[in-house]
Amino acid sequence: IPLADVIGVAEELLARVRAVEGVRSATLAGSIRRMRDTVKDLDLLAATDQPAAVLQAIAADELVHEVVAAGDTKLTVRTLRDLQVDVRVVEPSSWGAALIYFTGSKAHNVRIRERALRQGVTLNEYGLFARDGGERLAGADEAEVYNALGLAWIPPTLREDRGEIDAAASDTLPDLVTTAALRGDLHGHSDWSG
């Protein structure tokens, strides 16, 4: 589905999730956070200490047409516009690791986990852990997890396994164009007239 066709529904649902009692943080993840041209579905991540109550509130939201699957920490729903949304809830201490896990492409995530294993640690959606005793080394913040792996924070739009991990390791990530960098008016002309 073209990103432009789902961004409105995604942002409205995100605002509703952020307003749910017990939600500490919430954001869109997956291909929509990477700003891909098209998306298959929406991934939404929320940090909370009350997973059951939060998932129940999301399932009961008026934008939800159908609950496809429900579990202790995840929920799959279809919106009124028949868009599938996969919701994951995590503890706040896992927020950063979960953002990395649910945002990066499959290839990006494989490369990051391989790097962790080479360093003698384990990375998953709950955090970065020492292999010997399972002690959590990082997890609450994305930058903290990347830094613990010897990497600069990688912007979500670059998490496609196209050289960004090597660039983050050598501190040579490109500067991305932001809205703040734009100067002037942007407009276009067409031959469409009404």
Side-chain angles (χ1 to χ4, degrees), residues 53-182:
V54 167
L55 291 175
Q56 185 177 9
I58 294 168
D61 189 279
E62 65 186 25
L63 287 180
V64 173
H65 170 68
E66 172 189 10
V67 174
V68 177
D72 293 338
T73 60
K74 61 184 177 176
L75 177 69
T76 300
V77 299
R78 290 209 169 274
T79 66
L80 292 174
R81 294 185 59 199
D82 203 35
L83 180 64
Q84 181 172 310
V85 181
D86 295 324
V87 180
R88 302 285 192 276
V89 293
V90 297
E91 295 176 0
S93 61
S94 297
W95 177 247
L99 273 175
I100 291 170
Y101 185 86
F102 291 112
T103 295
S105 70
K106 181 179 178 181
H108 175 87
N109 288 343
V110 167
R111 290 278 314 275
I112 293 289
R113 288 192 306 267
E114 287 172 349
R115 182 178 180 88
L117 289 173
R118 284 193 304 274
Q119 293 179 9
V121 294
T122 302
L123 176 65
N124 59 33
E125 65 266 38
Y126 304 107
L128 182 68
F129 299 92
R131 265 197 271 174
D132 53 5
E135 174 191 356
R136 184 194 310 259
L137 305 172
D141 178 80
E142 281 183 308
E144 171 190 60
V145 175
Y146 279 119
N147 290 335
L149 292 170
L151 301 170
W153 177 78
I154 301 172
T157 54
L158 297 180
R159 298 180 193 176
E160 299 286 349
D161 189 29
R162 294 184 181 152
E164 74 279 2
I165 296 168
D166 292 336
S170 62
D171 202 25
T172 57
L173 284 166
D175 291 330
L176 301 181
V177 176
T178 64
T179 305
L182 299 178

